[in-house]
Amino acid sequence: MNPALPQLGKLADTCIHCGLCLPACPTYAELGSEPDSPRGRIYLMRALIEGRQPATPDVLVHLDRCLGCRACETACPSGVRYGRLLEGVRGALAEPRRRLGVRTLFWRPILRQVMPDRRRFRILVAPLRLLARGDRQWLPPALRRAVDALPPADPLGAPARSQGGNPAPLAAPGLGPFVPARGSRRGTAGFLTGCVMPALFPHVNAAAVRLLAAAGYDVVIPQEPTCCGALQAHDGDLAGAERAAARIRAAFAGCDIVVTNSAGCGAAMKDDPDAGFAGRVRDLSEALCEADWWPDRPLEGIRAVFHDPCHLRHGQRITAQPRELLRRAGLLLAEASESDVCCGGAGSYTLLQPALSTALMTRKIANLTASDPEILVTANPSCLMQLRAGLADRAEPPALFHIAEVLAQTLVSTPA
Ligand code: SF4
Ligand code: SF4
């Protein structure tokens, strides 16, 4: 018997089957079937844990359809730790899961071996960038989707997105290992560059570091390691996730706080078993609010909608801070319907569950654009890519930004 199973059984036993989580679950909303709801999945996981149900593909498909968005945790009155249960069961069932379909067999090595390594990830992205230059309509749907999700290689050259008074994409200087605080010093912030951000959104990382320095932090930026282990954990590779987490703990040992601008990384690091480390982790918006950061020169009158990443809203219960900061920055914020519902990005979900992911993306884009905003703002690379793919076919899409890019536009001067 897998020694993790009794502990997982205790997590599953906290569910009282009330069903209050069902309306919050995006896959239940799309598919309407109990096995694709949180309650149904917990029932299946308990049966697997207790050995009453073999891990057949028919059963595992319901677990694989789960986004891991943790909206069910926010809705649950019984405190079920669904995310931890799901990751644990996926880890315990690693062997049978490997016998799943061709799509999973193709993508899993990429998710586990390539994406967490920024050098390998850059090599993976290079041919996609070449494809992005050509006529995309001839590409197979999955490949076209991946190409559509890519941010511009040179955000400074992004066409027309910076016109009309909207914030312009910022330059992306290479980040050195240290940036000093501007003005009076609050402490030392370690900044996690992440696996995906340096290759796809280096300007976002640069903006986040400028903001932390402007808020009074000396910013320490380890060049390695970059991976917090979230991708591996979501896929059930718990040993790989713990190896990555141990390297991160060591790299940030001397920092007062550890800051990330990726909601998924923040949620994973705040779940770290080392409470001393987890308690120092901050999302960028949290760190700036705690430091009572205010813009030097607010932007004015830009109509905007903030998209809550699930790992910010449900994984970290952060909703007020990004909105507060965007209002301070001068934006006119509107609220979208279903702001608590996942966009379907969910890390690897777009690759492994393309049909469901696309359905959720279409629904999210309709909600986000209903108020005709000039810009959409979010706080996670996976969401940025999903929304970008969702806007790709629009004639005049709203511009899309990470919150760090928008806030950094309000800085008058930046540290050297
Ligand atoms: S994590 Fe999200 S998709 Fe999975 S069961 Fe919970 S609400 Fe549904
Ligand atoms: S809301 Fe919580 S206790 Fe109720 S069915 Fe969902 S997971 Fe179980």
Side-chain angles (χ1 to χ4, degrees):
M1 184 193 207
N2 186 315
L5 291 181
Q7 200 58 35
L8 295 172
K10 285 184 191 160
L11 287 178
D13 286 345
T14 54
C15 175
I16 56 173
H17 314 293
C18 64
L20 290 175
C21 53
L22 267 62
C25 176
T27 57
Y28 184 71
E30 284 295 322
L31 302 170
S33 68
E34 178 75 13
D36 292 305
S37 77
R39 182 174 61 186
R41 290 185 177 116
I42 291 169
Y43 179 83
L44 289 175
M45 287 191 274
R46 183 185 280 130
L48 289 164
I49 290 165
E50 293 172 357
R52 289 183 285 110
Q53 169 68 57
T56 61
D58 283 355
V59 169
L60 295 177
V61 72
H62 299 295
L63 302 190
D64 280 345
R65 281 184 192 147
C66 174
L67 293 140
C69 68
R70 295 168 64 178
C72 46
E73 284 189 24
T74 304
C76 177
S78 186
V80 173
R81 301 187 70 183
Y82 179 90
R84 184 158 285 191
L85 173 64
L86 180 73
E87 284 178 1
V89 170
R90 281 177 171 169
L93 299 173
E95 284 309 313
R97 289 184 82 236
R98 282 202 185 105
R99 293 198 289 271
L100 285 176
V102 173
R103 185 182 289 135
T104 308
L105 291 172
F106 176 76
W107 285 114
R108 183 146 294 149
I110 293 176
L111 291 172
R112 292 189 176 192
Q113 307 299 331
V114 178
M115 290 181 72
D117 182 310
R118 64 171 147 182
R119 290 184 197 85
R120 292 179 195 158
F121 186 61
R122 277 203 174 100
I123 292 169
L124 176 74
V125 167
L128 294 178
R129 290 227 181 276
L130 285 178
L131 289 173
R133 290 185 199 162
D135 187 349
R136 290 182 278 184
Q137 66 170 315
W138 304 110
L139 297 176
L143 199 50
R144 183 178 168 187
R145 174 78 179 282
V147 167
D148 282 346
L150 278 183
D154 173 13
L156 293 175
R161 297 258 170 143
S162 58
Q163 293 174 5
N166 289 349
L170 295 165
L175 285 174
F178 180 76
V179 174
R182 195 178 88 177
S184 61
R185 185 180 172 279
R186 290 183 61 85
T188 301
F191 180 71
L192 178 75
T193 53
C195 320
V196 171
M197 297 299 267
L200 296 182
F201 303 98
H203 53 293
V204 172
N205 275 353
V209 168
R210 277 181 220 151
L211 287 160
L212 288 169
Y217 284 105
D218 282 339
V219 190
V220 173
I221 309 153
Q223 305 298 297
E224 296 286 348
T226 60
C227 177
C228 65
L231 273 175
Q232 298 93 321
H234 295 165
D235 196 43
D237 178 12
L238 300 186
E242 173 47 33
R243 282 194 298 275
R247 286 193 292 269
I248 290 291
R249 287 193 294 270
F252 291 104
C255 300
D256 298 314
I257 59 171
V258 179
V259 180
T260 174
N261 55 13
S262 300
C265 303
M269 291 194 292
K270 286 182 180 181
D271 253 354
D272 194 285
D274 179 341
F277 173 79
R280 288 186 288 127
V281 175
R282 302 284 187 279
D283 179 70
L284 176 69
S285 64
E286 249 181 327
L288 294 177
C289 279
E290 281 180 13
D292 197 25
W293 173 87
W294 282 83
D296 297 330
R297 181 194 53 202
L299 307 163
E300 277 184 17
I302 299 172
R303 298 191 315 279
V305 171
F306 181 72
H307 163 61
D308 297 87
C310 293
H311 283 98
L312 200 62
R313 184 174 186 121
H314 303 300
Q316 302 181 58
R317 308 288 165 98
I318 292 176
T319 53
Q321 292 93 328
R323 288 171 170 80
E324 168 62 20
L325 292 168
L326 290 170
R327 286 196 188 95
R328 285 184 196 177
L331 269 56
L332 303 174
L333 272 189
E335 278 300 315
S337 300
E338 299 186 353
S339 58
D340 56 342
V341 177
C342 183
C343 64
S348 55
Y349 200 80
T350 52
L351 307 175
L352 300 175
Q353 300 289 336
L356 261 176
S357 174
T358 300
L360 291 167
M361 175 182 78
T362 304
R363 184 170 175 150
K364 177 58 69 179
I365 292 292
N367 281 321
L368 289 175
T369 56
S371 63
D372 192 25
E374 293 166 275
I375 68 171
L376 300 179
V377 186
T378 189
N380 194 45
S382 169
C383 301
L384 278 169
M385 295 174 74
Q386 179 78 340
L387 298 185
R388 186 172 176 80
L391 295 168
D393 290 331
R394 293 222 166 182
E396 293 185 9
L400 180 61
F401 294 98
H402 189 284
I403 187 171
E405 295 175 88
V406 177
L407 300 181
Q409 286 288 325
T410 70
L411 297 176
V412 166
S413 59
T414 57

